[in-house]
Amino acid sequence: MINFGFSSRFGGVSKAPFDTLNLGFHTGDAAAAVAKNRELLKREIKAGSLVFMEQIHSDYVLEVTSENLSDFAKTAPKCDALFTRLLNVGLCVMVADCAPIIVSDSKQGIIAAIHAGRAGVCAKILSKCVLAMKSEPKDLKIIIGAHIKGSCYEIGDMNLGEFNAYKNGGFFDITAALRAEINALGATNYEISKICSHCDKNYFSYRRDGKTGRFAGWVIKR
Ligand SMILES: [Zn+2]
């Protein structure tokens, strides 16, 4: 069985401006509060262990295996996509405007968590992760959580190459770019959240608040 979900900013112990369920250590929040929040998430989703990433806006994809699990659970690996075949390991992606993407391949029993901001989308990290998973499009389920939408994500004159097609004036439509990528992959089983993290105060938004927390997308196989 595969379960997945997305946290909001509520239910944790962090103080303002990280209130309350901040899952990111790199934000400037008290480390003890973040550790407690991660423990709360782990308990909530009944995971044996959680693996987070040290997200670097790259297109690096890593597989969590029985060999590296204990290292990765202790020290988040530098990458922007994780996948695994292991049971009871919660894969987590932290965001505050970037798109959190959860992928599952029911046939192979593989799950993935992907961090896709502007850089990740333009590097097609979703496609690279699916390639690394060696998945058939028909076996894929793709879920994209709350992220900053095209009407709020201003990037000005920045040249995005082929992704300029998803610019509207100075605004970048991450949602449209990801939908096109999913279509190009040939995957038909997908859902994309309509929620804009920048507009909806139930979520952390880096663009809205600057110094703030991170919410997460998670997936686990049992
Ligand atoms: Zn918005």
Side-chain angles (χ1 to χ4, degrees):
M1 183 176 60
I2 291 167
N3 297 130
F4 63 88
F6 300 91
S7 63
S8 70
R9 71 178 295 165
F10 304 116
V13 301
S14 291
K15 304 233 178 339
F18 309 104
D19 50 313
T20 57
L21 192 66
N22 169 35
L23 296 164
F25 280 112
H26 62 294
T27 51
D29 191 2
V34 178
K36 175 70 182 173
N37 289 338
R38 288 188 176 189
E39 189 58 38
L40 289 169
L41 176 66
K42 185 178 163 194
R43 213 179 300 162
E44 171 80 20
I45 71 174
K46 299 181 176 67
S49 51
L50 294 182
V51 181
F52 283 81
M53 298 176 269
E54 184 180 339
Q55 299 166 188
I56 51 175
H57 295 281
S58 71
D59 61 353
Y60 300 155
V61 180
L62 288 177
E63 179 172 5
V64 180
T65 64
S66 51
E67 284 76 37
N68 61 31
L69 172 61
S70 62
D71 287 345
F72 285 2
K74 244 178 274 153
T75 308
K78 277 194 176 73
C79 64
D80 289 275
L82 285 175
F83 70 94
T84 194
R85 296 169 167 81
L86 298 177
L87 294 174
N88 299 317
V89 177
L91 303 181
C92 303
V93 46
M94 297 175 289
V95 289
D97 288 336
C98 292
I101 308 179
I102 300 301
V103 180
S104 66
D105 176 331
S106 53
K107 180 115 176 266
Q108 298 191 93
I110 301 178
I111 55 174
I114 304 169
H115 169 241
R118 176 185 48 76
V121 169
C122 293
K124 299 190 182 174
I125 189 165
L126 169 60
S127 303
K128 285 174 183 164
C129 185
V130 166
L131 188 69
M133 291 162 64
K134 301 186 170 67
S135 294
E136 296 290 334
K138 64 174 170 42
D139 303 324
L140 291 173
K141 179 170 183 174
I142 301 171
I143 310 287
I144 303 180
H147 57 278
I148 192 167
K149 296 288 180 173
S151 50
C152 287
Y153 192 12
E154 191 168 10
I155 62 165
D157 292 336
M158 193 181 290
N159 183 358
L160 301 183
E162 66 174 291
F163 287 89
N164 285 335
Y166 307 103
K167 278 182 75 177
N168 238 325
F171 292 81
F172 179 42
D173 190 342
I174 277 196
T175 316
L178 284 170
R179 188 179 290 112
E181 185 175 1
I182 291 168
N183 288 335
L185 280 169
T188 53
N189 185 4
Y190 69 93
E191 286 172 41
I192 302 178
S193 172
K194 291 186 170 59
I195 297 171
C196 175
S197 51
H198 191 264
C199 293
D200 189 329
K201 295 201 168 161
N202 293 314
Y203 299 90
F204 295 114
S205 168
Y206 179 75
R207 285 228 161 193
R208 184 185 64 223
D209 297 329
K211 203 172 170 70
T212 191
R214 297 292 180 277
F215 65 99
W218 55 267
V219 60
I220 188 167
K221 183 182 154 188
R222 307 185 197 273

